[in-house]
Amino acid sequence: MKAAVYKKYGPPEVVKLEEVEKPTPRSNEVLVKVYAATVNRTDCGFRSAEYFVSRFFSGLFKPKYRILGNEFAGIIEAIGKDVKLLNAGDKVFGYNDAKFGAHAEYLTIAETDAITTIPDGVTFEQAAPITEGAHYALCDIRAAMIKSGNNVMIYGASGAIGSAAVQLVKYFGATVTAVCNTQNVEVVRSLGADQVIDYLTQDFTKTDQKFDFIFDAVGKSSFRQCKPLLRNKGIYISTELGKNSENIFLALFTPFLGRKKVLFPLPTIKKEDVVFLKELVESGRYKPLVDRSYPLDKIVDAYKFVETRQKVGNVVITLS
Ligand SMILES: NC(=O)c1ccc[n+]([C@@H]2O[C@H](COP(=O)([O-])OP(=O)(O)OC[C@H]3O[C@@H](n4cnc5c(N)ncnc54)[C@H](OP(=O)(O)O)[C@@H]3O)[C@@H](O)[C@H]2O)c1
């Protein structure tokens, strides 16, 4: 089968299209013919090994799994002998950042992992980007225990995580103030944000509102900057470690030092989360934003674009 393979850590060009052996499903796995995947910041992080810590999961000196791609959508072509929940011919989507593998014509995944059927009327290109940004956003929203009536600021609302966060926070019944640049104001408003601050024309720290939760989805702010905007018992979460990895230390100490605190939840994803996201898509409460698509043989260009850090939502990879 055709696959985008990387054998060493480095820039987008380390990824090359190659013919590799088609995988065989184990007894508890399904074989998925992939029709769409994404290139996202998780793929970029594992490919570049920019943060050394990722090598503890992906291989200290060289990649353990040579095909990236954590989000996928496709059709089940074969099932292992013990598979009960899914059938050959099912249209499915899901997420796998343990062994990746979606930048290829076929992948295998355990039926109990983060995979479920695609809602009716949703294309492979729309289904593939449902999970990555949304599951990070969901972990953080759950950690902050957001509920109806809360006031939430989402900084960096136009990225994959931020655009999912706006929709999920609205689903949980909170009011959203989103921060993005001028050209993304309308699209972020269309996701359901109650107010939008254009960070090019307005200093978001000068708002007179107070928030129960400030979620920095792009890791460009700091707790120090945001603390005055938090209500008593307010929570700050960033998707990045921050200057000198301060968000880790702040998450360890702020719960004991005052009433406003930093959290740094470790992201997880289970089958139930994918099913939950599917139900939101079905009920029209969540729709992943797609910036643009590239065919698999242009995947290096997709990586280069994602690494401009300017994508609006998600970048999809199509396979035939
Ligand atoms: N903790 C984890 O496990 C984990 C996993 C994946 C990703 N991440 C991190 O999460 C962050 C977000 O990932 P993502 O995929 O959602 O990002 P993304 O889609 O690449 O974010 C791009 C968007 O962010 C906006 N942006 C950039 N700088 C901004 C700023 N200063 N203020 C407001 N908006 C800004 C960009 O718009 P502009 O045109 O305004 O620049 C663009 O629309 C990244 O930093 C990534 O490294 C963490």
Side-chain angles (χ1 to χ4, degrees), residues 6-11 14-15 39-70 95-101 103 132 135-136 267 303 307:
Y6 82 128
K7 295 175 182 160
K8 58 180 182 184
Y9 298 120
V14 299
V15 179
V39 167
N40 52 50
R41 297 286 294 273
T42 304
D43 295 312
C44 295
F46 277 82
R47 193 214 65 233
S48 65
E50 175 192 359
Y51 294 113
F52 196 84
V53 68
S54 73
R55 295 179 186 232
F56 293 113
F57 303 96
S58 62
L60 212 47
F61 302 108
K62 59 182 185 181
K64 196 162 48 178
Y65 297 107
R66 294 178 164 193
I67 303 169
L68 285 168
N70 43 65
Y95 185 84
N96 186 350
D97 64 5
K99 63 174 189 170
F100 293 79
H103 295 160
E132 195 249 6
H135 92 281
Y136 290 127
Y303 271 114
E307 289 185 2

Side-chain angles (χ1 to χ4, degrees), residues 40-42 51 132 136 155-162 179-181 183-184 199 217-220 239-240 264 267 306 309-313:
N40 52 50
R41 297 286 294 273
T42 304
Y51 294 113
E132 195 249 6
Y136 290 127
Y155 185 89
S158 53
I161 301 176
V179 184
C180 64
N181 78 18
Q183 68 189 38
N184 297 324
Y199 73 81
V218 289
K220 297 279 172 79
T239 53
E240 288 283 346
F264 201 85
V306 172
R309 302 178 178 208
Q310 301 264 282
K311 71 180 163 69
V312 178

Side-chain angles (χ1 to χ4, degrees), residues 53-299:
V53 68
S54 73
R55 295 179 186 232
F56 293 113
F57 303 96
S58 62
L60 212 47
F61 302 108
K62 59 182 185 181
K64 196 162 48 178
Y65 297 107
R66 294 178 164 193
I67 303 169
L68 285 168
N70 43 65
E71 290 183 293
F72 62 88
I75 299 180
I76 295 184
E77 191 172 280
I79 60 173
K81 68 177 174 47
D82 298 327
V83 169
K84 299 206 170 46
L85 304 170
L86 296 164
N87 296 297
D90 284 351
K91 290 182 175 175
V92 290
F93 74 100
Y95 185 84
N96 186 350
D97 64 5
K99 63 174 189 170
F100 293 79
H103 295 160
E105 289 177 302
Y106 293 89
L107 62 80
T108 54
I109 181 168
E111 65 161 344
T112 48
D113 281 348
I115 175 173
T116 191
T117 51
I118 297 177
D120 289 341
V122 173
T123 64
F124 295 122
E125 287 85 352
Q126 290 164 336
I130 289 176
T131 52
E132 195 249 6
H135 92 281
Y136 290 127
L138 197 55
C139 283
D140 294 340
I141 292 164
R142 283 177 175 157
M145 293 194 283
I146 289 312
K147 53 185 183 306
S148 182
N150 283 165
N151 198 21
V152 177
M153 172 180 272
I154 297 169
Y155 185 89
S158 53
I161 301 176
S163 60
V166 171
Q167 298 176 74
L168 294 172
V169 168
K170 285 306 295 175
Y171 168 77
F172 286 109
T175 301
V176 172
T177 297
V179 184
C180 64
N181 78 18
T182 317
Q183 68 189 38
N184 297 324
V185 166
E186 279 319 309
V187 71
V188 166
R189 212 188 295 281
S190 76
L191 300 175
D194 299 280
Q195 291 171 54
V196 184
I197 296 177
D198 173 355
Y199 73 81
L200 293 178
T201 58
Q202 244 179 300
D203 180 348
F204 77 97
T205 63
K206 297 281 190 295
T207 175
D208 50 15
Q209 287 194 66
K210 298 283 181 215
F211 300 93
D212 301 287
F213 176 34
I214 298 181
F215 179 38
D216 180 353
V218 289
K220 297 279 172 79
S221 69
S222 66
F223 179 55
R224 206 170 81 161
Q225 212 179 8
C226 295
K227 196 174 172 188
L229 305 183
L230 286 172
R231 283 179 177 158
N232 196 11
K233 295 191 183 173
I235 289 169
Y236 172 84
I237 296 180
S238 171
T239 53
E240 288 283 346
L241 299 171
K243 197 176 170 192
N244 302 321
S245 301
E246 68 177 17
N247 290 328
I248 300 280
F249 299 106
L250 288 165
L252 291 172
F253 297 115
T254 51
F256 304 104
L257 294 179
R259 300 185 72 81
K260 301 177 182 181
K261 62 185 173 189
V262 176
L263 300 180
F264 201 85
L266 291 179
T268 58
I269 185 167
K270 292 189 188 135
K271 194 179 194 69
E272 301 91 272
D273 301 319
V274 182
V275 171
F276 172 69
L277 293 171
K278 171 187 167 173
E279 287 165 0
L280 292 190
V281 170
E282 277 172 332
S283 62
R285 309 295 292 268
Y286 166 55
K287 185 176 178 190
L289 265 187
V290 175
D291 184 306
R292 62 186 71 185
S293 300
Y294 294 83
L296 183 66
D297 59 5
K298 292 275 184 262
I299 195 164

